[in-house]
Amino acid sequence: MIEIEATGRTTVLVCVTCRTPNDAPDAPRPGLLLAEATADAARDDSSIRVQRVQCLGNCSRGPSAAIRREQAWTYVFGGLDPLRDGPSLVTGARLLTSAVDGLMPWRGRPEPLKRGLIARIPPLDFRDDADVEPA
Amino acid sequence: MIEIEATGRTTVLVCVTCRTPNDAPDAPRPGLLLAEATADAARDDSSIRVQRVQCLGNCSRGPSAAIRREQAWTYVFGGLDPLRDGPSLVTGARLLTSAVDGLMPWRGRPEPLKRGLIARIPPLDFRDDADVEPA
């Protein structure tokens, strides 16, 4: 069972509903396997919380997970491998925890969190950057 | 120019960098046009804030925007039409503002915000729903 606390810890939200068209209706959901693998990988790290969520809306490109921290950007990932990417998500969570600018660095980011980026959302205190030239 | 305030208003974040491969390098960015159209559509509604952001990470399926409110779910949309979907985003923002459960209702949601859903992220105070059966 995963502990729930209202803290500023980095959170990994794992969709437990995701499955592929080839999955048998009674087969374990890949998303559920990913949630368990992520919780296992984060078990000894009190800085990371793992939460299960029924749907992240990324149904066509699952399995899906999001990583977020207050006052940092939120990242949504898709196409994750339930048997391999739990530790990748925990690595990403640690990168976000240590990011002083609130952005998950590209350097050191596991490959599945590079090619699997679905979206990112700025923190609530984000300031309009209309005057900044696009990169 | 769009006013910036740290309030609990519903915010529409519009990516101003999005463009398609066919766009000339010096052509107006579709995302920028969408940001302007959204700001125009929200001009007389003080409950909605429009912010510009350089990248929402949805580069392959832009133009992109996100709608969020504190203590509500955040929604990311893609494949938006810069000439048509500013008012759609404002309609979606109003739906989220009036949603007592923090979820943008499907009913009444403009079509571009149905077929263009990229992802949704629960609010910070979201509680793990591991014990809830998938729908």
Side-chain angles (χ1 to χ4, degrees), chain A residues 2-81:
Chain A
I2 298 156
E3 190 183 1
I4 300 164
E5 291 177 28
T7 70
R9 286 190 291 170
T10 298
T11 299
V12 184
L13 295 149
V14 184
C15 172
V16 295
T17 312
C18 281
R19 65 178 175 184
T20 65
N22 298 327
D23 291 332
D26 58 349
R29 299 275 178 144
L32 188 57
L33 297 176
L34 179 61
E36 289 170 351
T38 307
D40 279 349
R43 191 167 301 281
D44 297 326
D45 190 334
S46 62
S47 72
I48 296 172
R49 174 171 54 164
V50 179
Q51 283 190 291
R52 301 170 186 206
V53 56
Q54 289 304 317
C55 183
L56 290 170
N58 181 45
C59 311
S60 64
R61 300 196 292 182
S64 312
I67 300 176
R68 72 162 163 209
R69 183 166 66 86
E70 280 188 66
Q71 299 183 303
W73 287 66
T74 296
Y75 293 79
V76 183
F77 302 100
L80 297 169
D81 183 324

Side-chain angles (χ1 to χ4, degrees), chain A residues 52 55-56 61 68 120 122, chain B residues 55-56 61 68 120 122-123:
Chain A
R52 301 170 186 206
C55 183
L56 290 170
R61 300 196 292 182
R68 72 162 163 209
R120 63 174 201 167
Chain B
C55 183
L56 290 170
R61 300 196 292 181
R68 72 164 163 206
R120 61 173 203 168

